[in-house]
Amino acid sequence: MSPASGSLAIRKQVTQPPLPKTPYLRVNLATMLTKRQLKETLEQFPEEFTLDELIDKIIFLDKIERGNQQSERGETITEDELEKEMQKW
């Protein structure tokens, strides 16, 4: 087996499966955080904080922004649809 074919097999192993097509489960990996948003977030922190606290806050802000974008695109579900999905869990 040549090295090239061996590396191709490795790439295939780490390839992630496609995301579900359900609108409310789509992931937009291109959500951007502006410098202004980051500065405003940093101003709200105490003088000393952990990196974990900052990362948690940034992830939280990103989730809010993604939710807002999904809502603007009409990618929402009703409470009844949500309850049906939760029953499947």
Side-chain angles (χ1 to χ4, degrees):
M1 179 183 282
S2 71
S5 62
S7 62
L8 180 59
I10 292 171
R11 283 190 205 128
K12 286 182 180 178
Q13 290 175 359
V14 297
T15 301
Q16 296 179 352
L19 296 171
K21 299 294 184 198
T22 311
Y24 52 89
L25 293 177
R26 280 192 205 132
V27 176
N28 177 7
L29 299 177
T31 303
M32 300 296 289
L33 179 68
T34 65
K35 285 183 183 179
R36 181 186 54 78
Q37 290 170 315
L38 183 57
K39 286 178 184 178
E40 289 173 1
T41 299
L42 285 172
E43 290 298 320
Q44 295 172 5
F45 274 82
E47 192 60 34
E48 293 183 12
F49 55 89
T50 67
L51 184 56
D52 285 341
E53 291 170 325
L54 177 61
I55 291 170
D56 286 345
K57 182 69 172 188
I58 291 172
I59 290 170
F60 177 70
L61 294 173
D62 179 65
K63 289 180 183 228
I64 291 172
E65 182 60 29
R66 287 177 190 214
N68 288 338
Q69 289 174 1
Q70 286 176 324
S71 179
E72 288 172 5
R73 291 190 304 262
E75 296 175 356
T76 59
I77 61 172
T78 65
E79 285 186 47
D80 290 338
E81 291 171 318
L82 176 60
E83 288 178 17
K84 288 177 186 174
E85 283 295 316
M86 290 175 59
Q87 288 173 358
K88 294 177 185 178
W89 299 353

